[in-house]
């Protein structure tokens, strides 16, 4: 039901036609109210009210500690130009002539984009996680012809935990197996924007086991180092063995290499953990949860969860919303479980760990 407005004045050229602004999200905007003292200048009061409307929306994107930490940047880059983030507004006079109150349609997606561009939206662990370039040489039966069994398994193990990794092993296997390999890897890391180079070698050999007559057993050995692409400084090293059994020698050797790569990926993450926090972004779609205030309350609650580093509004339309959740060693299925416990009316519809996506819907009684 519309609230009765005592007086509506549209004062800006961009305000559009004189139709009332209803509470709640509208298209790409959210509705925010704020007020300021009129004092000597009504224009200054209007600007101050616009700033207040903008500030009132900050909690949808940043926690209180983040707001304090980045206050200077927010003042300079965002609050200095509040009108850039307001599609249109109304001035509401409600009897107290010493104050001006406005209702503004805030361009929240533009605000989120600009917060991200100045480096305050994402927590440090997400923003700073390195991109890796993998260059492993493989030898022996079962070694891949292109990227390699071990290197591909290593890449998957890293990507599943939120790292970005480019497998360049096929290039090095074919062209750079001698003295030029590391220099070529550094050049490739620049082309691909990688901060770390993971280089090394994997080999596989047969094992004799009379207890497994009719089967083939192979053992793979993988040795690798993680180097800073710029300085060449060694940041971590891993030596990993793994074995596998199969009906054919080729399959057993290939599985052994893949097992070694996967296990090495787990150990490499541990080795880099002291330098790079393992945080990743998960997209959480919440269908039918409620309006802006319900979403605001949930965001505030989620920020207190130990597994959550940060939460920000991504999209909102009616009772549906999508959040960006930055997790501390948090998987998509773990996030879905946390949300269901926090809001029992929610049920999980889609959970995709590899895609870092969850979708939940509110069950309502008919």
């Amino acid at each position: 039901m519309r609230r009765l407005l005592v007086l509506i004045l549209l004062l800006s050229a961009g305000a559009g036609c004189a139709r009332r602004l209803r509470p709640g999200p509208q298209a790409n905007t959210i509705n925010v109210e704020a007020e300021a003292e009129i004092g000597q200048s009504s224009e200054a009061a209007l600007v101050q009210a616009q700033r207040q409307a903008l500030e009132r929306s900050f909690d949808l994107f940043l926690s209180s500690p983040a707001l304090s930490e980045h206050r200077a940047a927010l003042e300079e880059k965002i609050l200095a130009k509040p009108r850039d983030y307001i599609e249109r507004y109304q001035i509401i006079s409600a009897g107290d002539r010493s104050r001006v109150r406005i209702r503004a349609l805030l361009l929240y997606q533009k605000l989120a984009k600009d917060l991200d561009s100045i480096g305050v939206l994402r927590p440090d662990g997400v923003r700073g996680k390195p991109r890796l370039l993998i260059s492993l040489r493989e030898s022996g039966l079962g070694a891949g012809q292109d990227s390699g069994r071990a290197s591909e398994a290593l890449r998957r193990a890293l990507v599943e935990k939120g790292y970005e990794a480019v497998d360049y092993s096929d290039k090095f296997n074919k062209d750079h197996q001698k003295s030029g390999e590391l220099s070529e890897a550094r050049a490739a890391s620049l082309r691909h924007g990688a901060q770390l180079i993971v280089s090394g070698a994997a080999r596989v050999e047969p094992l004799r086991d009379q207890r497994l007559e009719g089967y083939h057993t192979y053992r793979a050995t993988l040795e690798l180092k993680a180097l800073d692409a710029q300085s060449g400084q060694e940041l971590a090293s891993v030596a990993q063995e793994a074995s596998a059994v199969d009906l054919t020698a080729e399959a057993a050797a290939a599985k052994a290499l893949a097992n070694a790569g996967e296990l090495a990926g787990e150990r490499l993450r541990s080795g880099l953990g002291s330098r790079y926090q393992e945080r990743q972004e998960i997209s959480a779609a919440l269908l039918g949860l409620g309006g802006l205030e319900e979403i605001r309350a949930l965001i505030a609650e989620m920020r207190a969860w130990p597994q959550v580093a940060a939460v920000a509004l991504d999209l909102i339309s009616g009772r549906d919303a999508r959040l960006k959740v930055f997790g501390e060693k948090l998987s998509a299925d773990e996030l879905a479980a946390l949300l269901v416990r926090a809001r029992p009316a929610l049920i999980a519809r889609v959970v995709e760990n590899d895609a870092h996506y969850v979708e939940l819907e509110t069950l309502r009684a008919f």
Side-chain angles (χ1 to χ4, degrees), residues 292-333:
L292 186 61
E293 292 311 310
E294 288 86 351
I295 295 299
R296 176 178 268 116
L298 178 60
I299 288 174
E301 183 177 337
M302 292 173 68
R303 286 176 178 147
W305 298 349
Q307 306 93 327
V308 172
V311 186
L313 177 67
D314 189 13
L315 291 171
I316 185 168
S317 177
R319 300 184 63 84
D320 303 335
R322 189 172 70 203
L323 307 179
K324 291 182 178 181
V325 183
F326 302 98
E328 185 75 46
K329 297 183 180 180
L330 179 67
S331 64
D333 53 1

Side-chain angles (χ1 to χ4, degrees), residues 21-338:
L21 305 184
R22 301 182 182 184
Q26 301 181 24
N28 297 320
T29 63
I30 55 175
N31 198 306
V32 184
E33 291 189 7
E35 66 179 19
E37 293 184 5
I38 293 178
Q40 296 287 330
S41 169
S42 59
E43 290 185 6
L46 181 57
V47 172
Q48 182 61 28
Q50 292 171 351
R51 278 175 52 97
Q52 291 292 334
L54 193 54
E55 281 196 272
R56 286 198 62 195
S57 67
F58 279 170
D59 66 334
L60 295 169
F61 308 97
L62 300 168
S63 65
S64 295
L67 284 171
S68 298
E69 178 184 356
H70 301 296
R71 188 67 196 183
L74 293 172
E75 286 284 353
E76 178 184 358
K77 304 293 185 180
I78 305 295
L79 290 171
K81 44 184 180 181
R83 194 65 181 89
D84 287 359
Y85 302 96
I86 295 176
E87 183 177 85
R88 73 178 191 275
Y89 61 89
Q90 294 170 344
I91 296 180
I92 307 167
S93 175
D96 186 352
R97 298 180 180 276
S98 66
R99 304 184 70 82
V100 58
R101 186 170 185 83
I102 69 168
R103 176 176 294 152
L105 288 183
L106 186 73
L107 298 165
Y108 72 93
Q109 288 179 302
K110 173 177 170 54
L111 175 58
K113 181 180 178 181
D114 288 354
L115 290 172
D116 199 13
S117 69
I118 65 174
V120 302
L121 189 65
R122 300 168 184 269
D124 288 339
V126 174
R127 188 170 61 247
K129 183 171 290 187
R131 183 178 176 90
L132 301 98
L133 184 137
I134 300 171
S135 62
L136 296 182
R137 289 178 281 110
E138 291 188 6
S139 59
L141 187 66
Q145 295 300 311
D146 292 318
S147 61
R149 307 287 187 177
S151 62
E152 175 58 23
L154 172 66
R155 188 193 67 81
R156 286 199 307 269
L158 293 168
V159 169
E160 285 174 0
K161 295 301 181 180
Y163 284 84
E164 290 187 69
V166 178
D167 194 348
Y168 220 60
S169 300
D170 57 335
K171 304 295 184 184
F172 297 110
N173 283 334
K174 293 176 180 179
D175 303 323
H176 300 282
Q177 295 187 14
K178 297 184 180 179
S179 60
E181 180 175 333
L182 184 56
S183 61
E184 176 63 20
R186 286 179 176 173
S189 70
L190 292 175
R191 293 195 299 270
H192 290 276
Q195 292 81 45
L196 299 185
I197 299 170
V198 179
S199 65
R203 62 183 185 276
V204 66
E205 58 188 2
L207 291 178
R208 305 297 180 187
D209 192 337
Q210 295 180 349
R211 297 170 300 174
L212 297 173
E213 185 176 355
Y215 289 86
H216 295 269
T217 304
Y218 273 75
R219 177 176 59 200
T221 302
L222 172 58
E223 296 179 351
L224 60 82
K225 295 180 180 180
L227 309 173
D228 184 276
Q230 294 293 326
S231 66
Q233 178 188 2
E234 181 179 317
L235 303 179
S237 63
V238 173
Q240 181 66 54
E241 289 187 351
S243 59
V245 179
D246 208 287
L247 288 171
T248 67
E250 291 80 2
K255 287 181 180 179
L257 286 166
N259 291 341
E262 183 176 357
L263 293 172
E266 295 290 330
R267 293 183 60 188
L268 180 59
R269 288 193 304 103
S270 298
L272 296 175
S274 61
R275 294 177 177 268
Y276 303 101
Q277 290 179 300
E278 289 191 354
R279 291 178 177 172
Q280 63 183 4
E281 177 183 335
I282 303 175
S283 182
L286 306 171
L287 308 181
L289 181 63
L292 186 61
E293 292 311 310
E294 288 86 351
I295 295 299
R296 176 178 268 116
L298 178 60
I299 288 174
E301 183 177 337
M302 292 173 68
R303 286 176 178 147
W305 298 349
Q307 306 93 327
V308 172
V311 186
L313 177 67
D314 189 13
L315 291 171
I316 185 168
S317 177
R319 300 184 63 84
D320 303 335
R322 189 172 70 203
L323 307 179
K324 291 182 178 181
V325 183
F326 302 98
E328 185 75 46
K329 297 183 180 180
L330 179 67
S331 64
D333 53 1
E334 290 168 339
L335 175 60
L338 288 170

